Every structure is written in C-alpha cells, then in structure tokens.
C-alpha cells in the first residue's frame, strides 16, 4: 500500500518529455513520485503520437521497472480503459483521474474493476467550495479504502473558475483557494482519505514555497504537487519533522504514556494527538527527521 506521505513531492511530466526514461530510471535522487501526463500537457493533435510513446514507455518499464512511484494521467475514462489494456501497465502504481466531479466519478470508477492499481482523483472545479458535494464524493471514495492513494487538489484550475491567478508573494492559504483546501480537509481527512496539496507555480520563489508547505502540513496535507524539479528537495526539506516534533510524537504514542502529561512546555494528550503523532513519525520515516541543532559551547565560568 502506498501512503500519501511516501509520495513526497509529486512531479508531473509530459509523456513526450525527452528525459522521461531518465526520470523513471531514478535520475533525480530526490524524487519519490511522478505522474506521466497525457492530459493537459498535450494538444488534441498530439494524442495519437503520445499514446505510441506511452506504449513504448511501458515496454521499457517491463525490462527496467521504475525506480520511483509512477502514475499515468489519462485524458478521460475511455483513455483510462485503453491504458488498462496495454501490456506493462502493471508497472505503474495507478492513475491520476483528472477533473473529477460528483457527476462523472461513477463513470471513472466503472472502468477500474482491477484492484491492482491505486487512484488519485483530482478535484479541479467549483465543487471544491461546495461542502455537500465534497461529502458526496468522500462517501463514494471511502469504500475504496487503500486504493485511493490521495485526493489531489487542482489549485490552478479551481482558481481559474474564479478568474484568479496565484500570487507570487502569498501562499494558497491567503487566496480563495484557502477556503477550498480547508473545506476539503475537513471532509476527506476524517474519512481517512489523504489530500495532496496544490502546486505553487512560481518555482523561483523558494521562500513562499517553504511557507506554503509548512501551512500544508498544518492542514494535514503531507504530499504536494511539484511543477519544477527544483521544488522537489525544498518540499521534502520542509516535510522533514524537527527533533522536538519527533520526541513529542514518540512520547504521545508510547505504551506507558499517561492520559494527559506535560512535555517541553506543552500539554500532550494521546487521545487527541495520536493521529498527528503518527503523521509526524510517518514523515520522519520517509524523509528522515532534521538533526538537532548543535549546542553552542558555553563560556567557562570565571571564578572570582
């Protein structure tokens, strides 16, 4: 089972990208997961050739399995059905389902009769602001259990419905997208469905990216879409928990932990903090915790 936290920063790459084979072979040691895209990255006139490239890629993967967690992103349910029939498709972890709504979800799921692949539905419409619609979708996805590796938030498409573009200076949480993320987190996470945080398109602005990933974590989003390879190590670095977090998490999950106890100036309560603590340890397992800061040597005490 692939946990969302294991995906780290998920990089989308067009199927016709000249370095696709190198990426799948592990050319970027920081990269944990990738989506081979046959949807928005293609013009309609390029689809036929792209499908040929996709089949050639699958043949190559039969001889040399991918070194990372790889998904395919079809253009629609019919292309998904075509993908499932291709030799070598078992080398992929699953599929990213684009532009999912309450109206089309059933059609997508009807094509996925094999439990061998996971799915990552992507919410990209104004339904992201509609709590009732999100509840309906969560109820449809929850029975699939571990087959849903994450629900992806298509941030730029959601903002496009409002005629808004991401700011260069502010995080997603300081835009209307913040409301959508909060709504989806409050619906999907209690159902055990992980969320993948939206992309930050301004890849040169690393400070804003760091701030946004920190806020992703605060909202319970432990994996994020990357738009550029340079973002991958930055996202992973912020996802690394600090030594104090790891220490608290272990104290909370310890078998001998009391019902409520103080630790490092904070109140810890296993009943209410256990899920958070497990998330911290999951991040520590995948990304390795930050090393403790070295202590400054103390000046020798002067004796009068």
């Amino acid at each position: 089972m692939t946990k969302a936290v294991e995906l780290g920063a998920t990089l989308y790459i067009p199927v016709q990208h000249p370095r696709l084979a190198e990426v799948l072979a592990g050319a970027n040691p920081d990269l944990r997961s990738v989506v081979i895209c046959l949807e928005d990255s293609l013009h309609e006139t390029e689809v036929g050739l792209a499908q040929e490239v996709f089949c050639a890629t699958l043949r190559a993967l039969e001889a040399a399995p991918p070194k990372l967690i790889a998904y395919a992103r079809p253009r629609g349910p019919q292309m998904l059905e075509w993908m499932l029939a291709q030799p070598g498709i078992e080398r992929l972890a699953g599929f990213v389902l684009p532009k999912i709504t309450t109206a089309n979800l059933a059609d997508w799921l009807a094509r996925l009769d094999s439990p061998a692949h996971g799915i990552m539905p992507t919410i990209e419409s104004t339904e992201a602001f509609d709590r009732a619609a999100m509840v309906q979708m969560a109820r449809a996805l929850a029975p699939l259990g571990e087959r849903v590796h994450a629900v992806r938030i298509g941030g730029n498409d959601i903002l496009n419905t409002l005629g808004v573009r991401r700011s260069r200076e502010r995080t997603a949480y300081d835009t209307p997208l913040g409301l959508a993320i909060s709504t989806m987190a409050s619906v999907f996470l209690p159902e055990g469905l992980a969320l993948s945080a939206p992309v930050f398109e301004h890849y040169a602005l690393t400070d804003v990216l760091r701030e946004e990933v920190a806020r992703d974590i605060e909202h319970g989003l432990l994996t994020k879409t990357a738009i550029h390879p340079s973002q991958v190590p930055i996202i992973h670095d912020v996802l690394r928990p600090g030594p104090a977090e790891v220490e608290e998490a272990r104290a909370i999950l310890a078998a001998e932990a009391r019902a409520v106890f103080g630790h490092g100036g904070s109140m810890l309560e296993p009943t209410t903090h256990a899920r958070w603590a497990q998330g911290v340890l999951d991040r520590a397992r995948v990304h390795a915790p930050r090393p403790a800061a070295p202590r400054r040597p103390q000046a020798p005490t002067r004796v009068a």
Side-chain angles (χ1 to χ4, degrees):
M1 163 60 188
T2 299
K3 279 190 172 185
V5 69
E6 295 169 355
L7 303 177
T10 301
L11 183 67
Y12 278 66
I13 184 166
V15 68
Q16 293 174 297
H17 194 286
R19 295 189 62 244
L20 175 60
E22 296 175 42
V23 172
L24 293 174
N28 183 344
D30 293 316
L31 189 60
R32 297 182 178 277
S33 61
V34 65
V35 176
I36 304 169
C37 184
L38 283 83
E39 198 225 2
D40 284 348
S41 63
L42 292 177
H43 188 276
E44 191 67 38
T45 59
E46 301 175 305
V47 173
L49 178 58
Q51 288 180 291
E52 293 179 15
V53 175
F54 182 73
C55 290
T57 300
L58 292 180
R59 289 194 295 271
L61 292 180
E62 286 193 281
K67 300 295 185 183
L68 36 68
I69 307 170
Y71 298 84
R73 186 187 196 191
R75 296 176 77 82
Q78 290 183 334
M79 182 178 279
L80 171 62
E81 197 167 356
W82 171 82
M83 285 179 170
L84 285 165
Q86 303 311 307
I89 196 66
E90 67 277 1
R91 295 296 185 185
L92 299 185
F95 303 95
V96 171
L97 312 182
K99 298 176 175 58
I100 296 299
T101 67
T102 52
N104 66 23
L105 177 60
D107 188 27
W108 281 97
L109 296 182
R111 319 292 175 118
L112 287 158
D113 54 354
S114 169
H117 290 101
I119 61 170
M120 292 197 286
T122 308
I123 311 300
E124 304 179 72
S125 73
T126 53
E127 283 193 341
F129 299 102
D130 184 343
R131 184 178 182 83
M134 293 298 92
V135 168
Q136 181 180 341
M137 194 170 295
R139 288 175 177 170
L141 292 172
L144 298 178
E146 295 183 344
R147 288 194 64 191
V148 183
H149 292 182
V151 177
R152 307 195 73 86
I153 301 174
N156 283 343
D157 286 275
I158 294 171
L159 288 177
N160 182 53
T161 65
L162 307 178
V164 176
R165 187 187 175 192
R166 288 289 303 270
S167 167
R168 296 173 62 88
E169 290 81 23
R170 286 176 287 280
T171 73
Y173 299 91
D174 303 308
T175 74
L177 193 55
L179 174 60
I181 297 173
S182 296
T183 299
M184 294 176 70
S186 68
V187 171
F188 287 97
L189 297 183
E191 294 290 340
L193 296 165
L195 289 172
S196 177
V199 68
F200 179 64
E201 66 198 69
H202 307 294
Y203 56 84
L205 303 176
T206 58
D207 289 346
V208 182
L209 175 61
R210 285 182 175 277
E211 181 184 352
E212 182 163 300
V213 178
R215 296 188 70 175
D216 292 337
I217 295 170
E218 291 172 355
H219 282 73
L221 281 57
L222 306 183
T223 176
K224 188 175 185 68
T225 301
I227 197 68
H228 192 276
S230 64
Q231 294 182 321
V232 173
I234 296 170
I235 293 171
H236 289 172
D237 185 55
V238 182
L239 287 171
R240 297 172 69 192
E245 284 184 291
V246 173
E247 186 179 343
E248 284 190 338
R250 288 174 176 162
I252 289 167
L253 297 177
E256 67 276 12
R258 290 170 293 169
V260 180
F261 60 98
H263 183 95
S266 297
M267 183 200 77
L268 304 183
E269 187 175 356
T271 302
T272 57
H273 296 150
R275 281 190 67 180
W276 170 84
Q278 188 57 60
V280 169
L281 295 187
D282 284 343
R283 286 193 287 128
R285 171 178 56 83
V286 172
H287 302 290
R290 299 176 185 277
R295 294 184 178 181
R296 294 182 179 179
Q298 294 182 346
T301 303
R302 297 181 62 181
V303 179

